[in-house]
Amino acid sequence: MTAVCGTCPPVVMDRFAWSRSSWPRVCPLLSGTDTTVETERESAGIMVEHVASVELPVDERLKIEKYRWKPSPDKDGGGRFSVVTGIHGDELEGQYVCYEVGKRIREHPELLTGTVDIYPAMNPFGIDSMMRGIPAFDLDMNRIFPGQKDGDMNEYLASLIIQDVSGSDMVLDIHASNAYLTEVPQIRINTLHQKELVPYAESMNVDLIWVHPNATVLESTFAYSLNSIGTRVLVIEMGIGMRITKSIGCQVTEGIFHLMHQMGIWAGKTGPVKKPIISTDPDEICYLNAPRGGIYIADTAAGDEVEKGQVIGRLVSPLTGEIFETVTAPYSGWLFTQREYPLTAAGSLMGRILKRG
Amino acid sequence: MREEMVMELPAIYRDAFRIRSFLFGEGEKSVCIVGAQRGNEYQQLYVTSLLVRRLRDLEERGGICQGKQICVVPCVNPYSINAKKRFWTADNTDINRMYPGYDLGETTQRIAAALFDVAKVYRYGIQFASFYMPGRFLPHVRIMKTGLEDPELALKFGFPYVVLHVPRPFDTTTLNYNWQIWDTKAFSLYTTETNHIDETSARQAVDGVFRFLHTQGILKDRIPGGYFSEIVETPDLASVRTSCAGFFFPTAGAGDRVTAGQKLAEIRDTYTNELKEELVSPVDGRLFFVRNEPLTYQATAVFKIIPQGAEKRIR
């Protein structure tokens, strides 16, 4: 079948009668650690696995969950595909993608020919409290990988996450910019991993593949940590924080099924994918930073083509009615990042242009 | 004393964002001292305010050596302190993860660049720093091991400990790390507190800075006292982690000598007050860090101990 977002009728089925027996009661990766590792049986008979779990002070456990979809043993080609999101608690676009992927597999589990792991909330505290980082610590979770098993709680959790995800044949780490910016669907790849990852990224139905130079500070990200130990991770940036953009979610979901099909994990047919622009030259990217504070009124949208000199927005004063600055495009090109949050300070990013011509 | 504006940014609905520096003496740019970079660093702000007052008095009575200039920046982040928010008010980014900064970049990159542009030309850099976990430290000087560090120089502060920290990737964008890369001898000073003022360790820090400046020929007056510092490397510190969550009652404090097996804390159930865990010291040593929050999570490092014999001395 062709996976088409939102058009499949809900299917009621006796879910995974054939796969239940393959579920581990205790995650073999974690057995023997001092974390309480649990698997839970939901009322519907579905198993949810806990990647990590720690006790909180008052009647609660912090749990990082995954959902494992297993093919029937006779169809299992042995591949493993992981979809990860929610490392930043304010980025929710990946929630829709996880849902869509799960929904489509749920509708046609017979088409699964490999294992699919869904990790929708790596930073559950952050998601719950609408915070980008880890709330109680004000830490950016994506700066503490690969973590340390004997480190503080967050580093300990990070180490368990890496341990659990490692070994996947492909990992998608889905981000959604932040609360301020909209990004066209894109995959960002460190130059160190360019050769290995770009061929996979081209199958992902995104608009842009941005190959960026390495920076030491990025070595503490989830993606870098796994790529450096041989587990392939593609970092997707898409949409905007604190929102779900269905069209973008569907686009990326199509890409996921396309790539899974190519990797022998999904037997269903998939449609054609976009041919992305691949940017490897840092000088091709123009950053538009606000020259001063103000309220930014955008006259463009993410994905627009702009001409050099074209007005793309204004920084204004609601107090006096004056225009502080009229922002024009310094180059012709493709506006692939667009500021949505109106309040700006000097330096706030208003957009990025991929220069053309 | 002269005041200079390191940076001023207009804002739409707040007073301008300003970073001020206070300059003492004339001549070689000898030492730059940086206070609060985060909105909860009250102790760091307080210590630098004490330094400004004492340096002003010293300068008036000729206590600064000829040809030496001292720069003090008490606060890099007034907006966050005033709003009682730890990181940058608008986007929650950490200025101390933005160095060396970028003057055409995003707001906190610009702030870091403006400060670093001033600070990087000094021979010595001293920063009053804070740790992300709330707790009490033994006062110490911390240096990153970049290959350019100079631990012997750090002994001149006369603090109880000099800690050598092996930087991790996320440390490479801190002020301390970048100072070293730009050839400034950099030291991070930790007193016991962050979001409370501790008068004793604040005055100890001021004395330590003045002692250091005297040994480097920047201030005339000798500051008596001080410690023969012990040098410790962070991988040598022993952590005591919780295996459950609950109320946290430490029975020992930062600076205490402890023996292996000695009780350090109790963790009690938050509903029934029953004892859930007794934490004990795994080694003989001295408590270097003690977490000071009433509740603890599971798997949390609540004590760090300098094991007996882990200290090194350079004489």
Side-chain angles (χ1 to χ4, degrees), chain A residues 165-171 197 223 225-233:
Chain A
V165 181
S166 67
S168 301
D169 295 291
M170 175 56 68
V171 182
L197 295 180
S225 300
L226 281 172
N227 277 316
S228 63
I229 58 170
T231 295
R232 291 182 284 260
V233 182

Side-chain angles (χ1 to χ4, degrees), chain A residues 88 90-91 130-133 138-140 177-181 242 289 339 341 343-349, chain B residues 14 77 79-80 83 85-98 105-111:
Chain A
H88 289 137
D90 62 345
E91 300 179 11
M130 290 196 295
M131 274 191 69
R132 186 174 186 77
D138 229 346
L139 269 184
D140 184 342
S177 188
N178 53 38
Y180 312 101
L181 303 167
M242 296 190 176
N289 293 89
R339 186 171 190 86
Y341 190 72
L343 189 73
T344 64
S348 296
L349 192 62
Chain B
R14 288 184 72 167
N77 193 351
Y79 263 25
S80 293
K85 197 166 182 288
R86 186 163 179 236
F87 296 136
W88 184 243
T89 48
D91 61 10
N92 210 40
T93 52
D94 182 359
I95 294 170
N96 202 29
R97 290 287 180 276
M98 291 292 163
E106 297 215 35
T107 313
T108 45
Q109 290 178 308
R110 292 180 185 212
I111 293 169

Side-chain angles (χ1 to χ4, degrees), chain A residues 54 56 62 125 131 133-140 144 152-155 157, chain B residues 86-87 92 131-134 291 293 296-301:
Chain A
V54 292
L56 301 178
L62 186 155
F125 251 15
M131 274 191 69
I134 303 170
F137 303 86
D138 229 346
L139 269 184
D140 184 342
I144 59 172
D152 202 37
M153 185 179 97
N154 298 301
E155 292 187 299
L157 292 175
Chain B
R86 186 163 179 236
F87 296 136
N92 210 40
F131 197 49
Y132 80 94
M133 286 194 297
R291 209 175 167 98
E293 285 189 319
T296 183
Y297 297 133
Q298 182 192 358
T300 299

Side-chain angles (χ1 to χ4, degrees), chain B:
Chain B
M1 182 178 84
R2 283 189 294 121
E3 264 185 58
E4 283 190 0
M5 198 64 77
V6 174
M7 182 185 219
E8 183 163 7
L9 286 177
I12 180 166
Y13 291 134
R14 288 184 72 167
D15 194 1
F17 172 85
R18 288 182 285 266
I19 303 175
R20 294 178 193 274
S21 66
F22 297 84
L23 300 170
F24 307 90
E26 298 285 348
E28 180 207 48
K29 291 186 181 300
S30 302
V31 60
C32 179
I33 302 167
V34 175
Q37 296 200 75
R38 295 166 177 156
N40 65 336
E41 293 184 343
Y42 306 142
Q43 170 84 344
Q44 290 73 5
L45 182 64
Y46 180 65
V47 174
T48 40
S49 75
L50 293 177
L51 282 169
V52 168
R53 198 178 76 192
R54 275 182 61 176
L55 284 168
R56 187 185 58 201
D57 295 344
L58 261 184
E59 187 179 38
E60 284 172 2
R61 57 183 178 81
I64 297 174
C65 294
Q66 190 70 31
K68 304 289 181 185
Q69 186 181 78
I70 301 163
C71 172
V72 182
V73 182
C75 187
V76 183
N77 193 351
Y79 263 25
S80 293
I81 289 191
N82 292 336
K84 295 194 175 184
K85 197 166 182 288
R86 186 163 179 236
F87 296 136
W88 184 243
T89 48
D91 61 10
N92 210 40
T93 52
D94 182 359
I95 294 170
N96 202 29
R97 290 287 180 276
M98 291 292 163
Y99 292 98
Y102 177 44
D103 62 356
L104 298 175
E106 297 215 35
T107 313
T108 45
Q109 290 178 308
R110 292 180 185 212
I111 293 169
L115 177 76
F116 200 62
D117 195 42
V118 168
K120 72 185 178 193
V121 298
Y122 284 82
R123 192 166 157 212
Y124 303 113
I126 298 171
Q127 176 206 358
F128 287 94
S130 70
F131 197 49
Y132 80 94
M133 286 194 297
R136 291 177 71 87
F137 271 111
L138 272 183
H140 66 279
V141 183
R142 188 172 287 226
I143 317 175
M144 297 234 192
K145 285 185 78 171
T146 58
L148 303 168
E149 74 278 5
D150 189 345
E152 286 192 51
L153 204 51
L155 304 176
K156 310 291 186 191
F157 287 89
F159 268 40
Y161 289 96
V162 171
V163 174
L164 298 182
H165 174 65
V166 180
R168 289 193 275 175
F170 53 80
D171 289 316
T172 58
T173 48
T174 60
L175 174 59
N176 186 306
Y177 184 93
N178 282 279
W179 251 338
Q180 285 199 38
I181 300 302
W182 262 259
D183 286 337
T184 293
K185 299 283 186 194
F187 310 96
S188 294
L189 267 53
Y190 287 74
T191 66
T192 53
E193 279 289 353
T194 294
N195 50 1
H196 293 97
I197 288 172
D198 180 84
E199 192 70 45
T200 306
S201 67
R203 293 193 181 278
Q204 187 181 17
V206 171
D207 282 350
V209 171
F210 276 52
R211 191 176 295 118
F212 175 82
L213 297 184
H214 171 71
T215 62
Q216 302 310 303
I218 298 167
L219 295 183
K220 292 177 181 170
D221 293 349
R222 192 178 77 85
I223 303 293
Y227 292 82
F228 290 112
S229 311
E230 311 278 0
I231 297 178
V232 183
E233 302 208 19
T234 44
D236 292 335
L237 294 173
S239 287
V240 178
R241 296 197 321 158
T242 56
S243 62
C244 61
F247 287 122
F248 173 62
F249 296 109
T251 54
D256 288 356
R257 292 273 172 202
V258 295
T259 54
Q262 180 181 329
K263 180 176 161 182
L264 299 179
E266 287 182 356
I267 296 173
R268 289 188 172 272
D269 188 275
T270 50
Y271 280 172
T272 66
N273 202 30
E274 291 197 5
L275 181 66
K276 292 175 77 176
E277 185 179 17
E278 271 192 5
L279 295 172
V280 298
S281 176
V283 292
D284 292 344
R286 194 166 182 205
L287 284 182
F288 178 68
F289 169 77
V290 179
R291 209 175 167 98
N292 66 351
E293 285 189 319
L295 298 177
T296 183
Y297 297 133
Q298 182 192 358
T300 299
V302 286
F303 295 100
K304 288 186 185 291
I305 304 171
I306 301 167
Q308 193 86 44
E311 310 98 327
K312 304 171 185 76
R313 281 195 176 178
I314 303 173
R315 292 288 173 266

